[in-house]
Amino acid sequence: MIPVPPEHPKRLVLLGHPVSHSLSPLLQNAALKSAGLQATYDALDVLPDALTSVLRELARGGVAGNVTIPHKEAVRAACVSVTDVAERVGAVNTFWHEKGKLIGDNTDVIGARVAIATLLSERVAPLRVAILGAGGAAAAVLVALEEFSSAAISIAARTSSRAHALGERLGISLHVADSAAAAVKGANMVINCTPIGLKAEELPVAVHELEAGACVLDLIPRNGDTDWVRECRNAGHIAEDGSRMLVEQGAAAFERWFGLVPDRASMWRALKLARTEVATARSKSAGAVTRPA
Ligand code: NAP
């Protein structure tokens, strides 16, 4: 194992609440191991009231890391300096310390950009995108979409004022639809930026509402495809969950912390291994339930 050079972090954390479901520790520890770096990455469940004191403590140890719901905007506000992208999105998902000062970036934008580009390849023009949700992930997706010229965007959000505010803040022309079903009408790409489906309860929008041939990106990186992704594929849509965005935002964060390109193959292997273990555990417990006494 290679000792981490003094200017790089030895400890990395994911700040969020809740965080136990996150796949980031798995991916980042795989990348650290593959790079031979003696650093650790773990998830820290931090209540909003405790964030300021936790950040103070992390600064003392020169700890770097990632940020997830609900702390991205608060960490952005706590940073002494942020990248242009983080400033534009208004949220930080990656942080580190320089001379004791907290610096922030938003690598969700890169992750979203790669996920969108991979899904599209060269098949869609002109691009008509429906975005479901108007929180931090939607902001990152909207900034990522600026790379794809002249995308027409419709957006639906439970709190529609947030969708209007997002368009105004980013200076992007958006059609704010009354419902998810209305937003996806005419869209050749649909992106779920809500947590609907995280607990496998409902779908962000019924699959029959989608235009034929629309491609689908569900930002939820579940350990195993989301029900929505599965149902969309069954109906003939090209559909991906949030795994690629997760790996790519994580890879970009790794580069910020260590100035090294991580071994993405090791990150994907870790993800796939965890999926196999989850699937095996599920089928065992199903077997245990149905096995005769
Ligand atoms: P957020 O800032 O809390 O925004 C969530 C959005 O979804 C808001 O518009 C919210 O509406 C809406 N929403 C929440 N629950 C809903 C429900 N039950 N029905 C309808 N709308 C609902 O969260 P975020 O940071 O944008 O994250 C959204 C999702 O993206 C999460 O599942 C997260 O895991 C995922 N994500 C994935 C990656 C990745 O790398 N793959 C990266 C970032 C985020 P209200 O305003 O009314 O609450």
Side-chain angles (χ1 to χ4, degrees):
M1 292 290 256
I2 308 165
V4 179
E7 69 275 21
H8 296 298
K10 290 182 186 55
R11 183 179 172 218
L12 300 141
V13 294
L14 170 66
L15 304 176
H17 177 72
V19 277
S20 59
H21 65 280
S22 175
L23 297 167
S24 286
L26 200 75
L27 301 183
Q28 295 294 356
N29 282 312
L32 288 168
K33 190 171 173 203
S34 176
L37 290 167
Q38 262 179 341
T40 59
Y41 185 111
D42 57 293
L44 267 191
D45 198 319
V46 179
L47 287 166
D49 285 352
L51 183 65
T52 306
S53 62
V54 168
L55 285 175
R56 215 177 293 128
E57 184 70 30
L58 297 179
R60 276 197 282 274
V63 178
N66 289 126
V67 189
T68 187
I69 300 173
H71 300 312
K72 289 183 183 182
E73 285 83 7
V75 172
R76 187 260 161 268
C79 282
V80 173
S81 166
V82 297
T83 60
D84 291 347
V85 172
E87 184 62 39
R88 179 133 177 77
V89 177
V92 156
N93 84 322
T94 299
F95 67 91
W96 62 93
H97 292 92
E98 284 175 16
K99 296 186 178 132
K101 294 194 166 47
L102 185 62
I103 315 292
D105 192 5
N106 190 308
T107 65
D108 282 339
V109 174
I110 296 177
R113 194 177 291 146
V114 175
I116 293 166
T118 306
L119 201 52
L120 287 176
S121 97
E122 74 285 353
R123 49 189 289 283
V124 178
L127 193 53
R128 295 183 303 277
V129 186
I131 292 182
L132 311 178
V141 164
L142 284 168
V143 173
L145 281 169
E146 290 175 341
E147 187 92 344
F148 303 85
S149 58
S150 65
I153 298 165
S154 61
I155 184 166
R158 180 169 66 180
T159 310
S160 61
S161 57
R162 274 186 93 178
H164 285 288
L166 198 53
E168 270 165 37
R169 184 168 67 74
L170 294 174
I172 294 175
S173 159
L174 302 172
H175 167 68
V176 179
D178 290 342
S179 64
V184 302
K185 219 170 164 47
N188 47 24
M189 175 169 230
V190 179
I191 307 180
N192 176 32
C193 303
T194 75
I196 303 174
L198 194 59
K199 293 187 193 130
E201 71 285 39
E202 44 181 326
L203 304 183
V205 66
V207 176
H208 69 261
E209 302 284 0
L210 304 180
E211 298 288 343
C215 55
V216 165
L217 177 60
D218 189 351
L219 293 201
I220 294 177
R222 228 164 73 105
N223 210 341
D225 287 325
T226 59
D227 290 349
W228 193 49
V229 166
R230 252 194 312 275
E231 288 195 22
C232 287
R233 283 197 191 129
N234 289 343
H237 298 275
I238 292 177
E240 265 207 18
D241 74 358
S243 299
R244 191 177 307 279
M245 176 169 169
L246 185 76
V247 168
E248 291 300 327
Q249 62 78 29
F254 191 97
E255 286 191 45
R256 304 292 179 276
W257 302 322
F258 300 109
L260 295 172
V261 176
D263 173 13
R264 284 175 170 74
S266 72
M267 298 165 97
W268 279 108
R269 269 197 305 276
L271 206 55
K272 282 179 183 150
L273 182 64
R275 281 187 175 169
T276 311
E277 284 168 3
V278 167
T280 309
R282 274 193 197 133
S283 70
K284 270 191 189 154
S285 69
V289 171
T290 53
R291 197 174 300 126

